[in-house]
Amino acid sequence: MEDVHERELVERCRAGDERAFQELVDRYKDLVFALIARTLQDRSRAEDLAQDVFLRIHRGLPYFRGEARLSTWIYRIVANVCLQDHGRGPGGVSLDDNRTPAARAASDRQFGDLELRDRLEKAIAQLPANYRLLIAAHYLQGVQYEELAEALQLPLGTVKTQLYRAKQQLRRMLENELK
């Protein structure tokens, strides 16, 4: 049923239905932004690149063959945009903490969790861009190995190996920080 709706949405977009494209944007904007923000660690740059992704989607829809799922095609566009942007220099770490003072003063466990999250965010930010993208897509967005392999046009084994190496590199960075 989902595939049928997806195909209809793509066809409506191709026919020039701007409401259909807005529906597509609404459907995928959180995913696109989350992947970019986790990859680049710069919220304002991520917003710019998310717009670029949707512009590329709009321009590319006439050429979308439907051989892969729409989300897979979108992941590929996100990956290309992030990797192309990578040469422009690293982004800073962004930790949006909008909690109230009372919430910030909660238990030691919550502070420990926040501290761990901060260390993890900083470590992820130090990974190469392709590893950050894989970590964000698989572990933070739940994208399956097979879908990542298809989107990135890589063998499944390569995706698994790169994710394993990214985890190992993260582990080493976090362990070295504790020494």
Side-chain angles (χ1 to χ4, degrees):
M1 184 69 175
E2 186 68 25
D3 289 340
V4 171
H5 178 68
E6 192 174 89
R7 281 193 298 268
E8 289 173 0
L9 183 61
V10 168
E11 288 308 316
R12 287 176 39 221
C13 289
R14 285 180 175 164
D17 183 345
E18 289 301 317
R19 284 183 293 167
F21 187 72
Q22 186 59 50
E23 183 181 334
L24 185 146
V25 170
D26 290 342
R27 183 183 221 180
Y28 290 102
K29 68 182 175 189
D30 292 338
L31 174 75
V32 167
F33 181 78
L35 287 172
I36 294 170
R38 288 288 183 169
T39 302
L40 300 181
Q41 303 294 318
D42 179 347
R43 185 175 178 86
S44 64
R45 186 74 190 131
E47 289 170 356
D48 291 343
L49 291 182
Q51 289 179 6
D52 187 33
V53 165
F54 284 108
L55 181 62
R56 289 180 187 207
I57 290 169
H58 192 271
R59 288 181 184 156
L61 275 171
Y63 309 102
F64 176 65
R65 295 184 305 256
E67 294 170 357
R69 292 177 57 208
L70 181 61
S71 60
T72 302
W73 183 67
I74 291 173
Y75 294 139
R76 181 70 186 157
I77 293 171
V78 169
N80 286 337
V81 167
C82 288
L83 293 174
Q84 287 171 357
D85 186 72
H86 179 63
R88 298 180 189 180
V93 175
S94 173
L95 292 176
D96 295 328
D97 190 358
N98 298 324
R99 298 176 301 153
T100 64
R104 281 193 299 272
S107 73
D108 287 341
R109 178 168 164 70
Q110 288 174 328
F111 179 76
D113 289 348
L114 181 62
E115 185 179 23
L116 178 60
R117 189 183 92 206
D118 181 47
R119 288 180 33 230
L120 186 58
E121 292 266 349
K122 287 178 180 176
I124 290 171
Q126 294 175 21
L127 290 172
N130 61 322
Y131 284 0
R132 286 194 310 262
L133 178 69
L134 287 170
I135 292 286
H138 184 70
Y139 292 106
L140 305 175
Q141 296 296 322
V143 179
Q144 298 300 310
Y145 293 118
E146 295 80 7
E147 196 167 356
L148 279 171
E150 187 177 344
L152 299 174
Q153 299 174 341
L154 294 172
L156 180 60
T158 301
V159 169
K160 289 180 178 181
T161 299
Q162 287 185 356
L163 273 166
Y164 175 79
R165 289 177 180 163
K167 286 190 306 185
Q168 293 301 102
Q169 192 170 343
L170 273 175
R171 181 175 289 123
R172 282 191 303 274
M173 284 191 281
L174 292 170
E175 286 172 353
N176 287 339
E177 183 181 310
L178 294 175
K179 290 180 180 179

